Amino acid sequence: MELVIVLGAIVVAIVVFGWVFKLIKNTIQTVLLVAFLLLVLYFLFGIGPGVIWEQIQTWLGGGQNR
């Protein structure tokens, strides 16, 4: 009976570890994609992160209307 509990615990640990690994991998990919897009906007069009942040705040209703 103890062997079944140990094997079950190992399986659960592997599943949780796999989920955490996928979560971290997807987070890093998203961060790199956003950074790449910000760099492209900055170097091609001169649009900085501050301008983009102000626009997002305006969309969400937290910015000042100009």
Side-chain angles (χ1 to χ4, degrees):
M1 187 65 169
E2 287 183 24
L3 181 61
V4 173
I5 294 173
V6 170
L7 290 176
I10 290 172
V11 168
V12 169
I14 289 171
V15 168
V16 169
F17 178 75
W19 176 77
V20 169
F21 180 75
K22 286 180 186 178
L23 179 69
I24 291 171
K25 180 182 154 216
N26 289 335
T27 302
I28 291 171
Q29 285 179 341
T30 303
V31 166
L32 291 175
L33 177 64
V34 168
F36 174 75
L37 290 174
L38 287 174
L39 285 173
V40 166
L41 286 172
Y42 182 72
F43 286 119
L44 293 181
F45 303 108
I47 301 172
V51 175
I52 295 172
W53 183 245
E54 287 176 12
Q55 182 62 45
I56 291 171
Q57 286 181 329
T58 301
W59 287 342
L60 297 176
Q64 297 174 353
N65 294 330
R66 295 181 181 187

